[in-house]
Every structure is written in structure tokens, then in C-alpha cells.
Amino acid sequence: MFPLKVLLIQPSHRDCIQTLFSIYNTKEGIGFKPPIGLLYIATAIKEMTVHDVKILDCQLEDIHHENILDFVKESYDVIGINAWTDFWYQTLEIARKLKAHYPTTHMVIGGPHVNIFPREVLGFDFIDSIVMGDGEIPMVNLLSRITDKEARDKEIPGVYFCGHKNTDYVPYVHHDLDSLPIPDRTLLPIERYSSVLSSNKAVTSMITSRGCPFKCVYCKLDFQKPVFRSAENVSREFEIIRDLGIREVEVYDDTFNWNQQRTKDICREIINKNLKLKWAIRDRVSKANEDILVDLKKAGCYRIHYGIESGSNKVLKICKKVITTDQSRFAVKLAKKHGFIILAYFMYGLPGETLEEAYKTLDFSLELDPDYSEYSIAIPYPGTEMYNNALAEGIIPTDYWSEFVMKPKPSFTIPFVIENLISKEELIELRDISIKKFYFRPRYILREIAKVRSWKEFSQKFKMSIGLLNILRGRLVR
């Protein structure tokens, strides 16, 4: 086997799909997180093969299809590009340009977008293969096939090639996460990743589980059931991160606290190793438990993100969120009691929602009074039940996502047609009113000023306020 030169690319957000989210998706100092999926794949290649691998994170340098050749100045045997629907235009155009310039390169596309549109992605003649699902082992096996002439016709679970005739496309699921090498963050400039919500200079991200058992109508993350890493494996990664000089971690699991005994075990490991790291998690309000919160706090967890979404139990039920407003009240109150910073997510324009119910969500967010609220407008993304239902019922007249996939345009604006109960204009106005009422309350402003402990924190909050003001001027932001 001869070593291959492999380049993995995370596309830029430039020219991405235009949505109507709020502050944390603006460009005003939000910071960037390392592309953890590519880090996992690159580390697997580095540790499990003889091949040379590099990662190019286009977010950091604003690298895009127009200037990609200024940064990719040499040929690679294999180039893999991460594909999200939001970034599909950049992914496709970068692949097109690199393949034209380096025609012998094997071009492979992976990521969430491919899981939804495998056939369409393989329809472009400059794309040689796709990887569906968890990418580490499929990529390792793909590289082995490329270097082994005798394995050229061998099928690889999760990998499909141009000209694939089978109608079945099955994402690969890796069930033993502990068997994968812990991501090597030195493959990226770790000191350049940060967060607007953090007072630390360097922040990284982590995944301790994959998959989600719930079927929320607005989400497309249900292709696998939850798979967990062990507490020992997770604490080992925290230890490696600490030794790199990073002091804060954002855990990106859909719900960190699925298994409460595992949560306790992780906390015990971190405490016993005296790691002294700050970290944040995403959790469900239905999993709130005082004993768990006590353990999390002792272990350094200081911020919890809750997907609350709506102040209407009727809307929550229609969306299959499987939570109630009372559970949200209890979870937020309990987390506040133990001194956690709380970020709550709310959505407007959900299926079945009236304008009156949307305003109830605004009132609910003010009642809960978390430290941060994100107000977004529900997007009928491809592959979601919300989009499929709207198509079947004729609410959305044409399959505009399929059209976009084949002919993406820069800065594509999504047609916001959900249930016709609330107009796009009303949704935008409600989002702006929500930002004003939540963030520009005198009590909130004074509370945030009192929290400031450094010039960096003041600068971050100032940038956030600029982002909020830009939204209120009516500018479309990602």
C-alpha cells in the first residue's frame, strides 16, 4: 500500500442559504468552532492508515470557491468535502473547481446533506463518491480500496460511487464510539477557535454521543438511535484537551444527559482527575434532575442549552417535541437555583401555530428569563416531516429543495411558507419584537453589565449588541 495525500475541507458560510435566525448566527464576533466531524475522520486516517491527511477550514480564512486555488496549490490524491444543506453552494462549487484543476483527484462528498440527497449528489460528474453516515471507517476503507487494485470492485458500507445502480443508500452507523481515536485537535490551529459566550480565549467542541431517538417534525437527525461513549473515554478526551491548554469545551450532543448514570460517571471522572475545565452542554428540559445538576456543577459544567421552542403545549405536541411548558419551567428554575448560565432556543412559525400562540412563546421566554434567548423562524428543511407534510398537503407547491440541490444559487432565500397561519412579515416582526423585549430590558442590560469581569467580555457583549441591532434594521443574516 502506498501513502495517499488526503485533504478534508470544511466550506465557508459565504453565499450560504439565507435564513432568519437571531444573534448567534450573525458575523459580529460569534467565533468559530472546530469542524469536529472532519477532525474525527482526519484522526482516523492518521491513526489507522499510512496516508497523509490535512484539514482546510474555510470558515477561518473566508476561503471560498472563487479563491480556493490560492489555498489548495498542490494536487491531492483524495479530497473530501463536508456538505451541509446551508453550505451546499460552496461545497459544490469548490468540488467543481478543484476537480477541474486536479482532474485525477478522487472527489468524495460527505455530511448531513448527502444523507438526504445521495442520488442527486452523485449526479454531478465531477463527484466520484459519497460517504453516508458516520464517516471514519468508510473513509479509511475507501482509501484502502483506492490503493488496492484487487479491492476495486469491493463494496464498502456507507460509500457509494458515481454510476451506482442500487436504489438503496444506507448511512453507515458506528456503534462502538470508544474504538474510534480521540480527535487530534493539533490538526487545526486550536488557538483560533472561540465563542462569543465564553470568556476563555480558546474554546473547542466535543461529541460524547451520536443520534437522537426523538422525531421532531422540524429536524432530520433521526437516521440512528443514540450511541454513547463511555465515561472513561470522555474524561480521557477532556484530559487531552486540558493538556493542550484549552480551558473550555462545548459538548454538542443533541442531549448530553440521556443516560443519567453515565453523566454521573463522567462528572466523577473529571472531578477525580481535577481537570478544572469549563464546559457547556445541550439538554432536554424533560431530563432535569437536581442530583445531576449538582454533579455537573462540581465537574465544571457551567452553561446549559435548552431547546424549549414554544410556549404552547398544543404546538409542542404537534411538533412531537415530547416536552411540556411545565417541564421547561421546572428545568430552568432548577438550573438557575444551581447557578448555571442558561441559553434557551425558541422558534416561531411552527406547524399549527397561530399568531396568538407565537406571542405566547414570547411571553413564555420573558417569564423564564434565561441568560440568553435565541429566537428563530422555523425552516422546513429537506428530509424533515414538516417539509414532507407541507409538500403532500400542497402548502408548499413545489419541491424547491430538490431544485436547489441540482442548481444551487448563492445566498438562496428559503420560501417561508409553513401553515399559512402566520405570514412571513408577521414572523419577522415578531422575531424583532422578541429581541427588543428580551435583550433591551433595562433590568437585563444592568444584569449583563454587572457580570462583566474583563475587557474581552465587554467587547464580546458589545459585538453581540451590534449583531442584534443589525437584525433589527431588517438585514437578512445567516
Side-chain angles (χ1 to χ4, degrees):
M1 179 182 292
F2 57 90
L4 299 172
K5 289 174 56 181
V6 182
L7 177 66
L8 303 180
I9 299 177
Q10 173 66 36
S12 165
H13 62 271
R14 178 188 280 252
D15 291 330
C16 70
I17 288 170
Q18 298 295 294
T19 63
L20 292 169
F21 290 113
S22 59
I23 178 63
Y24 304 108
N25 289 318
T26 69
K27 298 177 183 178
E28 281 74 22
I30 63 169
F32 294 108
K33 306 300 185 305
I36 193 71
L38 291 189
L39 267 178
Y40 258 106
I41 294 171
T43 306
I45 294 171
K46 177 183 175 183
E47 299 293 331
M48 301 169 69
T49 77
V50 300
H51 308 301
D52 299 319
V53 62
K54 294 181 180 179
I55 303 175
L56 180 63
D57 186 355
C58 297
Q59 299 274 29
L60 287 179
E61 304 289 354
D62 190 24
I63 303 170
H64 45 91
H65 74 94
E66 293 177 354
N67 66 356
I68 187 67
L69 291 175
D70 294 335
F71 295 86
V72 184
K73 297 180 179 181
E74 57 181 313
S75 64
Y76 287 84
D77 298 297
V78 178
I79 294 178
I81 309 179
N82 193 14
W84 291 69
T85 299
D86 284 356
F87 301 165
W88 177 235
Y89 174 76
Q90 280 295 334
T91 298
L92 190 65
E93 294 308 309
I94 287 173
R96 191 194 308 271
K97 179 162 284 190
L98 290 178
K99 186 68 171 183
H101 198 75
Y102 303 113
T104 61
T105 293
H106 183 96
M107 187 66 62
V108 54
I109 310 295
H113 182 80
V114 175
N115 292 337
I116 303 170
F117 295 108
R119 184 176 291 101
E120 289 82 355
V121 174
L122 278 177
F124 294 94
D125 58 9
F126 50 87
I127 294 174
D128 298 294
S129 66
I130 59 172
V131 170
M132 297 181 64
D134 297 333
E136 298 89 352
I137 303 305
M139 274 296 293
V140 167
N141 290 335
L142 172 62
L143 299 180
S144 296
R145 170 171 159 157
I146 291 173
T147 56
D148 185 356
K149 293 181 179 180
E150 295 182 359
R152 291 292 168 87
D153 296 326
K154 182 180 178 181
E155 290 190 4
I156 304 172
V159 178
Y160 299 94
F161 297 88
C162 182
H164 174 68
K165 303 300 182 183
N166 197 329
T167 57
D168 295 326
Y169 292 88
V170 181
Y172 179 84
V173 177
H174 194 85
H175 295 285
D176 182 9
L177 298 184
D178 282 9
S179 68
L180 295 174
I182 290 172
D184 181 359
R185 289 171 171 80
T186 64
L187 290 168
L188 288 166
I190 56 176
E191 72 283 352
R192 296 185 60 188
Y193 293 97
S194 62
S195 170
V196 70
L197 298 178
S198 170
S199 59
N200 284 293
K201 182 178 179 181
V203 178
T204 193
S205 54
M206 181 193 291
I207 298 172
T208 76
S209 67
R210 299 179 185 180
C212 179
F214 293 96
K215 307 289 183 182
C216 299
V217 299
Y218 49 79
C219 185
K220 181 56 178 172
L221 291 174
D222 58 354
F223 73 89
Q224 71 177 72
K225 295 180 179 179
V227 182
F228 305 95
R229 295 168 59 192
S230 69
E232 294 78 12
N233 188 260
V234 172
S235 69
R236 175 58 184 150
E237 183 167 358
F238 271 112
E239 192 172 11
I240 292 171
I241 289 170
R242 188 274 313 270
D243 292 344
L244 288 171
I246 300 172
R247 292 294 176 263
E248 185 161 340
V249 181
E250 293 195 359
V251 179
Y252 274 5
D253 302 22
D254 294 307
T255 295
F256 176 76
N257 190 28
W258 288 122
N259 183 314
Q260 297 195 342
Q261 184 57 54
R262 188 191 79 124
T263 301
K264 284 179 169 292
D265 292 342
I266 290 172
C267 292
R268 185 184 65 248
E269 288 273 339
I270 292 172
I271 293 168
N272 289 343
K273 291 180 178 179
N274 195 29
L275 295 181
K276 297 186 182 300
L277 288 170
K278 294 176 66 178
W279 46 296
I281 63 171
R282 284 146 179 77
D283 208 357
R284 289 181 65 84
V285 295
S286 58
K287 304 292 288 186
N289 176 290
E290 187 155 25
D291 291 341
I292 294 294
L293 290 176
V294 170
D295 287 344
L296 286 167
K297 193 71 173 179
K298 288 180 180 177
C301 181
Y302 80 103
R303 191 175 74 241
I304 302 176
H305 298 207
Y306 285 125
I308 293 171
E309 317 310 358
S310 177
S312 165
N313 283 319
K314 186 201 86 174
V315 173
L316 289 170
K317 186 175 182 180
I318 292 173
C319 291
K320 301 181 181 179
K321 182 66 180 176
V322 198
I323 63 170
T324 67
T325 53
D326 282 344
Q327 287 175 329
S328 293
R329 288 188 179 95
F330 176 75
V332 171
K333 182 178 180 180
L334 197 61
K336 283 184 177 183
K337 173 184 173 182
H338 290 280
F340 285 89
I341 292 174
I342 302 163
L343 190 159
Y345 299 98
F346 301 94
M347 279 199 284
Y348 297 130
L350 290 165
E353 183 182 56
T354 65
L355 189 59
E356 179 182 0
E357 286 166 326
Y359 271 96
K360 187 185 292 186
T361 296
L362 168 56
D363 292 339
F364 191 50
S365 72
L366 296 173
E367 174 196 335
L368 295 178
D369 193 26
D371 296 272
Y372 303 99
S373 284
E374 170 149 336
Y375 302 97
S376 62
I377 295 173
I379 307 301
Y381 273 111
T384 63
E385 184 177 333
M386 183 166 71
Y387 183 67
N388 292 338
N389 286 347
L391 271 178
E393 296 168 15
I395 296 169
I396 297 177
T398 61
D399 187 357
Y400 60 80
W401 281 120
S402 291
E403 296 170 3
F404 169 78
V405 170
M406 300 310 296
K407 295 182 179 180
K409 297 178 181 179
S411 303
F412 172 73
T413 300
I414 299 171
F416 288 89
V417 184
I418 312 295
E419 290 281 347
N420 289 329
L421 298 178
I422 310 176
S423 69
K424 175 182 176 181
E425 291 72 25
E426 287 172 324
L427 289 171
I428 295 172
E429 181 182 11
L430 178 56
R431 181 209 59 187
D432 292 350
I433 290 172
S434 300
I435 292 172
K436 288 178 184 177
K437 286 198 170 185
F438 187 88
Y439 285 102
F440 293 92
R441 293 172 291 163
R443 184 181 68 174
Y444 180 85
I445 294 172
L446 291 173
R447 186 174 75 189
E448 290 303 302
I449 291 174
K451 292 179 184 177
V452 173
R453 295 292 182 269
S454 67
W455 171 254
K456 183 177 185 294
E457 287 186 57
F458 175 81
S459 176
Q460 286 174 322
K461 292 183 186 295
F462 178 75
K463 289 176 180 178
M464 286 175 64
S465 66
I466 294 298
L468 290 167
L469 290 171
N470 280 331
I471 292 172
L472 297 180
R473 293 189 188 105
R475 186 184 64 168
L476 275 175
V477 296
R478 180 183 167 268

